[in-house]
Amino acid sequence: LQQYFSVNREEAKAIQQSFTTLQLKKGDHYLKAGRYSDLLGFIQSGILREYSVNDGKETTKWISTKGYFAVDLSGFLFGSTARWNIQALTDCELHVISRQAYEQIGESIPRWTALEKLFVAKCFMVLEDRILQHLSMSAKQRYLQLFNSNSDLFNLVPLQYLASMLGMTPETLSRLRKKTSS
């Protein structure tokens, strides 16, 4: 919280008290598409995959690791049903807050509205970066950027999920890995 929002210790403690711990086993779903999304989670440990299923085909939107949030943001903020499935790829520990508790934080932290704006703005920045990558970078550039920023994922996550997240086929990812490692 202090890293993301520059909150002081008292504010961080007040926010932290609104969260509970949730354990997920590998394969468990944190959220399924079509259900109401009433939890926002912060990953303490483990790996989660956000994906959708269209015409029987899974598309991975994002792989989340320690330090990332896990949420279908539009569902959480607007009370609509989730568009994404979120599944544990490993055993996970999350700190979660309910929508109701999230909305009550403003009562104990006067500047919560400003902090919430920062949170949503950071989410949009990540989204804009992803869009820019897909529009302006080659498959090789996207692969190298992910590999250079989080190479551990390539040993922990099935490659078809990473390929999908990068907007390429598993075969293309395999060829790129082979070319860049030689």
Side-chain angles (χ1 to χ4, degrees):
L1 290 171
Q2 290 171 323
Q3 176 187 356
Y4 275 99
F5 306 116
S6 303
V7 295
N8 63 41
R9 286 181 191 246
E10 294 80 31
E11 291 170 328
K13 188 173 184 177
I15 294 169
Q16 192 175 17
Q17 290 174 348
S18 300
F19 283 78
T20 59
T21 301
L22 174 67
Q23 304 286 336
L24 295 174
K25 294 288 185 196
K26 179 180 179 178
D28 288 351
H29 276 84
Y30 171 72
L31 180 63
K32 288 189 176 183
R35 295 193 181 163
Y36 285 95
S37 173
D38 63 346
L39 292 178
L40 179 142
F42 183 78
I43 303 170
Q44 178 64 37
S45 65
I47 301 173
L48 294 174
R49 174 175 78 115
E50 295 181 45
Y51 69 98
S52 65
V53 180
N54 295 305
D55 296 326
K57 181 182 176 196
E58 292 184 1
T59 302
T60 299
K61 175 180 91 166
W62 190 252
I63 304 291
S64 298
T65 56
K66 179 181 179 175
Y68 281 92
F69 287 97
V71 65
D72 180 297
L73 191 60
S74 63
F76 182 77
L77 292 177
F78 300 112
S80 58
T81 57
R83 297 174 296 164
W84 301 98
N85 297 288
I86 304 178
Q87 184 179 31
L89 296 181
T90 64
D91 290 349
C92 296
E93 181 178 314
L94 291 89
H95 300 292
V96 297
I97 186 170
S98 69
R99 182 178 163 89
Q100 181 181 6
Y102 178 87
E103 291 172 355
Q104 291 174 348
I105 291 175
E107 296 171 16
S108 59
I109 300 175
R111 65 185 194 113
W112 178 247
T113 302
L115 296 172
E116 183 180 39
K117 280 183 185 178
L118 280 174
F119 167 68
V120 173
K122 284 183 183 278
C123 291
F124 278 108
M125 286 172 43
V126 169
L127 178 62
E128 284 180 334
D129 288 345
R130 291 282 315 280
I131 291 169
L132 182 62
Q133 289 170 6
H134 280 275
L135 292 175
S136 65
M137 297 172 81
S138 68
K140 181 178 180 180
Q141 289 171 319
R142 291 192 308 272
Y143 161 72
L144 288 172
Q145 183 173 34
L146 180 61
F147 185 81
N148 290 331
S149 67
N150 203 343
S151 62
D152 289 345
L153 284 182
F154 289 84
N155 296 319
L156 301 171
V157 174
L159 292 181
Q160 74 262 21
Y161 298 158
L162 294 174
S164 177
M165 185 177 85
L166 290 168
M168 61 184 74
T169 65
E171 295 79 16
T172 300
L173 178 58
S174 182
R175 279 193 302 274
L176 287 171
R177 290 185 75 202
K178 192 174 185 177
K179 282 181 186 178
T180 57
S181 67
S182 54

